[in-house]
Amino acid sequence: MMTEELRPEPTPLAAAPLPELLAPAGDWDCAKAAVENGADAIYFGLERFNARMRAHNFTEADLPRLMEFLHRRGVCGYVTFNTLVFANELAEAEQSLRAIIAAGVDAAIVQDVGVCRLIRQLSPDFPIHASTQLTITSAAGVDFARELGCNLVVLAGESLLKEIGKLQEVRGSAVSSEIANRKSQIANFPLEVFVHGALCVAYSGQCLTSEALGGRSANRGECAQACRMPYELISDGKLGPLGDRKYLLSPQDLAGLELLPELLRLGVASLKIEGRLKSPKYVANITRIYRQTLDRLAHAALITEHDAAGLSPTLARGPFAAPQDWYDMQMAFSRGLYTGWFRGTNNQELVHARFGKKRGVFLGEVARVQGDNVFVRLQGPLKPGDGVVFDAGHPEEQEEGGRIYEVQNSKFKAQTPREVALRFGRGDIDFRRVHVGDKVWKTSDPELDRQLRQSFAGEQPRFQRPIALEVHGQAGRLLTVIARDELGHVAQAASAMPLEEAQQQPLTTERLREQLGRLGGTPFKLGELKNLLEGEVILPLSELNRLRRQFVSELEALRALPKRWTLSPSAATDVSERPPRSRDRNDAAEDGRPAVTGAAAELVVLVRNLAQLDAALQSGVQTLYCEFEDPKKYREAVARFREWQSLAGHAPGSRKLGPEAVIADSQLQIANQKSEIFVAPPRIFKPGEEWILKQVRACDADGYLVRNYDHLSFFADCRRIGDFSLNVANALAADYFINRYGLERVTASYDLNNAQLEALLASAPPAWFEITIHQHMPMFHMDHCVFCAFLSSGTDYTNCGRPCDRHEVKLRDRVGAEHPLKADLGCRNTVFNALAQTGAEHVARLLALGARRFRVEFLNEPPEQVAQTITKYRQLLRGQSTGTQLWRELKLMNQLGVTRGPRG
């Protein structure tokens, strides 16, 4: 893949405001840990509709008390409402959203397009943050979120620094004022990025692995972390010799600490720490490190304002990436720390593949084992009481480890690692399982844990935010103190007695700071103080103390007031009476597009190579989708399809298309003007990839599958069908894509099971929806290229030699299933489920509910199997066979969708 060179102009650091530091909170202790270690905001989930259902989470009843606590401390609270919401859940979602808005929550983080619309119906001013689950990677995605009513976008974790800069950039060469205004709105739109924590290998919102393999939906907060499991690489039918590299899909953890100066220059509005499943100690640790680093950057920016570039590279590399910070981050949680995709793709570093679980600080390797002593060439700090684990290269097995009882010759010198003897408690270690060469990791540091627990222990505030004071008055008049906090709240306190002329010890600025700055036990510390007293005056210290208590109390009361958002008494979640935009192809439409009424059921077939296309054409399929790895082949696919169309009226059996494609009477139903071919652009779009979309469009297909927000605009003047990646799970989302963007229909989300599909069809015109009933589920869709990482020594497409063009690769999981791996033109990999799955047993019920378009997708099937499968499904739709018969005959996995729920 080749992209345009992006060169964002950096903002001088001194001119850039500090971004918000956003910390995770899975429970009350995590919330306290975040607040007391300097978070500007926390994000947390409730009992339902959040993407971390395994966290303890909060209840709706907790909201008023939680928000009062946060606001008193000057901290915002965002509720994660970041899952798909099914049609039969919208009423419950509305009830929950009402509680959230009424409690004064500062914003909701939302994935579902329908939920965004629901919030805007409930409240015109309640802030919405577009979740990373919305898979926003480009300016078109930001624009989509803005038009949807969102106030901030959380970018996809795969966003590069240069791409973020591109989004923040306003080009002066806009072709019209309208475009210029839109670009300005996008550029000024707040952006949030994840800066630390676990990295998903797949694009958030596009991972269907947990569903396909375990019936647990990541889009419903039930990720099973299949990416952290071991896999074997099968290349061209042979096991790849990867040694101890088994965790082929498990990225290192993100650590963006060293990139904070650049993120500040780019004007990112919010820096997000991942970890709602992590402990309070983790939250305290990571929040503290990033808070202190941001504050040091702010201080350095102030003292280097004369430098046009803001902060110098020397300063950026120096005090802001201290060894102690890296040690503390590794001890918090680490599968290895890496800058993720920020600096670009490096497939050799992103996934080291040696383990997929927490390790900690690397201490060295075992040099020898003698009796109860383990000798290690120590490369990290170690003391009695610390916990270690011995890594023999088999992390999937039980590993030896324990707490250190004694470290002999323990004086540590990092420059010259020396050998030390480690001793353990009696019976703690089976020394027969410790081997020379085993890696030793430090997994526990009780002293650090104690310090972290103390950082948020007790009820007294430990982290304080600055307030500014103005002191006014003159002899014979009252002393007035005006206090302002960082959020703009203002409190005023006046003395109960007038000031007197001072004979000695007047109220100097130093004296005022000493008395009014005694703010221990409060959420505040004294920042700027302006002494505007006239003349030398005096007031009893007891009165100054009373004034201090008064303005502190008033500020706290003002901060604790809940946000008052507008809340409508009603919201419209039912769109079932709206007329569908799509029409039956048997009816002529004014715009020339086909249309839909109560027509017979139609089989839509998706193919992934030319041989499958020929088989589908010979089977008489009228609606064809092509999804090829190389879009350049779309021209040939469309040409073959057009040749079949041109055969109408010719004698059957006498024409050939290719050496084996003989046309028979039953095959000529494709050869008429009712047939159509759509092609699929790549699922993800990144800045600089416009050339791929142009290549797709150049094939002159009848229409295009819309898979992301750029496709909505790029193919705006074409026929378009929304694909599954739009995650349409309810009528509000479907209505938005069809009636706002003019899509002919949308593909129902793959997260829906049979009952949820029935609810969807009952809530909106069934003609709006296409339902996939046969497919190899696309599980992982990712920027991590397995071909490059493990079949080459290259880092990305520029030097990998493109092994994806030469090898057929599968990933074998722990139960022996071999999942096919494909790469698209953007070098993004998709892992498909080894088994095809079918919803055939539910087709009769879906037909009864009005569904008419059913999709069958092929992956690697040979042409004969394609033809056989099409025939079987056509018989099913005609009522000539049952779903159970079809399933048994094709030996498919009997499953429709994979989210847990009743299927009857």
Side-chain angles (χ1 to χ4, degrees), residues 684-701:
I684 298 295
F685 175 89
K686 300 287 279 300
E689 295 180 354
E690 291 81 3
W691 65 276
I692 298 179
L693 299 186
K694 292 176 182 177
Q695 192 174 92
V696 171
R697 184 164 178 155
C699 73
D700 197 26

Side-chain angles (χ1 to χ4, degrees), residues 235-246:
S235 178
D236 303 323
K238 298 179 181 178
L239 180 64
L242 299 181
D244 64 351
R245 295 188 296 170
K246 306 171 188 174

Side-chain angles (χ1 to χ4, degrees), residues 43 45-46 49-57 80 82-83 133 194 198 200 218 220-223 274-277:
Y43 63 105
L46 302 179
F49 306 122
N50 88 85
R52 291 292 184 272
M53 292 305 296
R54 288 185 291 137
H56 291 151
N57 294 313
T80 55
N82 55 343
T83 65
Q133 294 283 115
F194 279 93
C200 294
R220 295 281 290 174
E222 298 175 321
C223 172
E274 182 276 337
R276 281 195 292 132
L277 292 175

Side-chain angles (χ1 to χ4, degrees), residues 604-623:
V604 179
V605 174
L606 183 146
V607 297
R608 288 191 166 93
N609 57 54
L610 292 171
Q612 291 178 349
L613 173 67
D614 287 341
L617 289 171
Q618 292 182 61
S619 298
V621 174
Q622 292 193 28
T623 301

Side-chain angles (χ1 to χ4, degrees), residues 610-887:
L610 292 171
Q612 291 178 349
L613 173 67
D614 287 341
L617 289 171
Q618 292 182 61
S619 298
V621 174
Q622 292 193 28
T623 301
L624 273 165
Y625 298 162
C626 293
E627 183 188 7
F628 293 174
E629 295 176 46
D630 184 357
K632 287 185 292 187
K633 296 182 179 179
Y634 284 157
R635 281 181 179 269
E636 183 177 355
V638 173
R640 291 193 187 191
F641 180 85
R642 299 287 182 239
E643 187 167 350
W644 279 88
Q645 280 186 317
S646 70
L647 297 174
H650 291 282
S654 61
R655 299 282 298 272
K656 290 187 178 183
L657 187 68
E660 299 177 358
V662 180
I663 301 169
D665 289 321
S666 62
Q667 298 160 358
L668 278 175
Q669 51 190 306
I670 186 68
N672 58 68
Q673 296 307 311
K674 299 176 184 177
S675 59
E676 55 191 4
I677 183 169
F678 285 68
V679 300
R683 198 158 140 198
I684 298 295
F685 175 89
K686 300 287 279 300
E689 295 180 354
E690 291 81 3
W691 65 276
I692 298 179
L693 299 186
K694 292 176 182 177
Q695 192 174 92
V696 171
R697 184 164 178 155
C699 73
D700 197 26
D702 293 312
Y704 303 89
L705 290 186
V706 167
R707 309 176 120 193
N708 59 50
Y709 314 112
D710 286 85
H711 299 167
L712 287 171
S713 55
F714 190 86
F715 299 103
D717 58 344
C718 306
R719 291 180 57 196
R720 295 163 298 159
I721 293 170
D723 207 358
F724 72 94
S725 52
L726 297 181
N727 283 327
V728 174
N730 56 64
L732 287 175
D735 176 70
Y736 192 69
F737 284 112
I738 288 174
N739 287 310
R740 168 67 178 81
Y741 286 99
L743 303 190
E744 294 186 14
R745 58 184 180 271
V746 292
T747 307
S749 166
Y750 289 172
D751 288 274
L752 301 171
N753 64 23
N754 189 53
Q756 293 148 0
L757 265 177
E758 291 185 11
L760 180 64
L761 293 172
S763 67
W768 284 5
F769 303 105
E770 179 171 299
I771 299 169
T772 302
I773 56 172
H774 174 107
Q775 65 168 328
H776 292 263
M777 183 74 81
M779 301 193 302
F780 297 105
H781 188 64
M782 53 197 179
D783 265 2
H784 167 51
C785 183
V786 174
F787 294 95
C788 177
F790 304 109
L791 291 177
S792 85
S793 58
T795 57
D796 61 15
Y797 72 95
T798 64
N799 55 19
C800 69
R802 296 198 60 83
C804 54
D805 292 337
R806 304 188 306 275
H807 299 286
E808 181 178 312
V809 171
K810 298 179 180 179
L811 300 183
R812 180 188 292 159
D813 66 18
R814 293 176 299 168
V815 299
E818 296 184 1
H819 306 291
L821 179 74
K822 301 290 185 181
D824 66 19
L825 194 60
C827 293
R828 295 177 188 99
N829 285 195
T830 303
V831 180
F832 291 88
N833 196 348
L835 294 174
Q837 68 178 42
T838 179
E841 290 184 307
H842 306 288
V843 167
R845 174 61 179 161
L846 296 175
L847 283 168
L849 291 170
R852 287 297 179 267
R853 287 192 174 89
F854 298 91
R855 186 194 299 186
V856 170
E857 293 190 357
F858 296 102
L859 183 60
N860 289 330
E861 292 86 348
E864 313 80 55
Q865 188 176 344
V866 169
Q868 178 193 24
T869 303
I870 290 172
T871 298
K872 296 295 183 184
Y873 276 100
R874 186 172 279 143
Q875 291 171 347
L876 175 69
L877 294 182
R878 291 171 178 168
Q880 297 169 348
S881 68
T882 67
T884 301
Q885 287 176 313
L886 184 150
W887 168 55

Side-chain angles (χ1 to χ4, degrees), residues 315-326:
L315 283 173
R317 289 193 299 268
F320 306 116
Q324 186 63 41
D325 290 340
W326 289 103

Side-chain angles (χ1 to χ4, degrees), residues 434-454:
V434 180
H435 313 285
V436 173
D438 285 358
K439 292 179 172 59
V440 186
W441 301 89
K442 181 174 178 177
T443 57
S444 173
D445 184 338
E447 181 179 336
L448 176 61
D449 290 346
R450 178 182 56 80
Q451 294 171 359
L452 294 171
R453 284 193 297 268
Q454 288 177 346

